[in-house]
Amino acid sequence: MDSKVPVREHGECLAALLLVGSSGGPLSLLADAKHVMIPSTSFNSQADFDDDWSYNYPWGTDHNGAARMDKSQVALSSTGGTVTLTARKVSGEKAASHGGKQIPIKYLSGAIHAKEHFNVSRGGGYDFAGEFRATTTRGTWPAFWLTGVKNWPPEVDMAEWKGSGKISFNTFNTSSQVRARDVTYPSPGDFHKILCEVRDQNGRDVSVKFYMDDKLVDTQYGKNFVGQSLYL
């Protein structure tokens, strides 16, 4: 979960999250849940946070944009329950390297990732759910996403706000085989509920159902995602 490629000094994303390993039922039917992997209390204190989360990307501080992730840009609320990821403009940072290219770093931003990896087994699945307040200012790119631990794809963008005034829900099967659904993101100053149900479809592929504010937005499919380890 991160704030990608921000271009304003104080772009931010606030979130509260509950993650449930599920036997197939919706999030509201917690009796069906086998195990709560990341509880909704994980942002209540630094100790709770440290049990479930780490700072930056799983592979380091840099990715493929103009922002470098930094622990200083992540803050837990004093009253508990939310984490805030912000971005600020900087100068003098060493350039990032990605795909053989040098990328100037213009911002420090915040990202966190779950310490747990997630593997959709045959007959299994997960519910990824959170409440987010994310900017849609042009040039900002907050994101709530899954990506492969050992290889890419898989990738599921459970929510991306790419500075267009819309929210995007995407599944990458290859770099060119992408299912993307963009819809208008209402009232960016308010919290919105995001739920992504990832389920084994046929022992090989997964189905991905995207919800915003309890309404189904799209259903997509990840080819050969079953059994692949995922970062959150």
Side-chain angles (χ1 to χ4, degrees):
M1 184 163 60
D2 68 352
S3 180
K4 298 182 187 174
V5 200
V7 298
R8 76 169 186 169
E9 189 169 355
H10 297 292
E12 70 175 19
C13 176
L14 282 76
L17 184 127
L18 172 68
L19 175 60
V20 179
S22 175
S23 60
L27 183 66
S28 58
L29 301 179
L30 291 180
D32 274 350
K34 291 182 177 179
H35 181 59
V36 177
M37 306 289 286
I38 300 178
S40 59
T41 57
S42 69
F43 297 151
N44 280 5
S45 69
Q46 188 65 52
D48 290 329
F49 179 92
D50 292 341
D51 282 343
D52 295 306
W53 301 95
S54 295
Y55 295 97
N56 305 323
Y57 297 116
W59 52 84
T61 60
D62 301 341
H63 191 33
N64 57 1
R68 172 163 289 141
M69 302 302 120
D70 191 273
K71 179 179 177 180
S72 65
Q73 302 307 116
V74 179
L76 296 173
S77 68
S78 59
T79 56
T82 61
V83 63
T84 304
L85 312 179
T86 60
R88 62 184 175 89
K89 196 169 185 178
V90 294
S91 61
E93 290 284 320
K94 180 182 177 181
S97 177
H98 183 83
K101 298 180 179 179
Q102 296 294 299
I103 304 173
I105 295 297
K106 299 180 180 179
Y107 298 86
L108 291 183
S109 188
I112 61 174
H113 64 276
K115 292 181 176 179
E116 190 81 37
H117 295 168
F118 305 96
N119 184 316
V120 178
S121 59
R122 290 192 174 191
Y126 295 95
D127 289 349
F128 297 89
E131 296 185 0
F132 295 85
R133 189 173 76 196
T135 180
T136 57
T137 301
R138 183 178 179 182
T140 57
W141 200 339
F144 177 48
W145 56 315
L146 300 167
T147 192
V149 173
K150 296 182 178 179
N151 49 272
W152 184 94
E155 180 176 333
V156 178
D157 300 323
M158 299 181 288
E160 283 192 309
W161 300 262
K162 294 183 284 189
S164 65
K166 295 184 177 182
I167 184 171
S168 183
F169 306 96
N170 319 306
T171 302
F172 284 79
N173 287 308
T174 69
S175 58
S176 59
Q177 294 178 337
V178 184
R179 167 75 176 187
R181 178 73 187 276
D182 292 350
V183 299
T184 299
Y185 188 62
S187 306
D190 297 334
F191 277 91
H192 294 278
K193 294 170 63 177
I194 300 297
L195 168 63
C196 185
E197 296 177 342
V198 184
R199 299 286 187 273
D200 171 26
Q201 178 70 11
N202 53 21
R204 180 185 65 250
D205 309 323
V206 300
S207 65
V208 185
K209 292 186 176 181
F210 300 89
Y211 297 81
M212 182 170 65
D213 294 330
D214 299 319
K215 295 182 180 179
L216 179 64
V217 177
D218 202 14
T219 300
Q220 302 175 11
Y221 298 92
K223 186 177 181 180
N224 297 318
F225 282 18
V226 170
Q228 296 209 50
S229 189
L230 299 166
Y231 290 124
L232 167 64

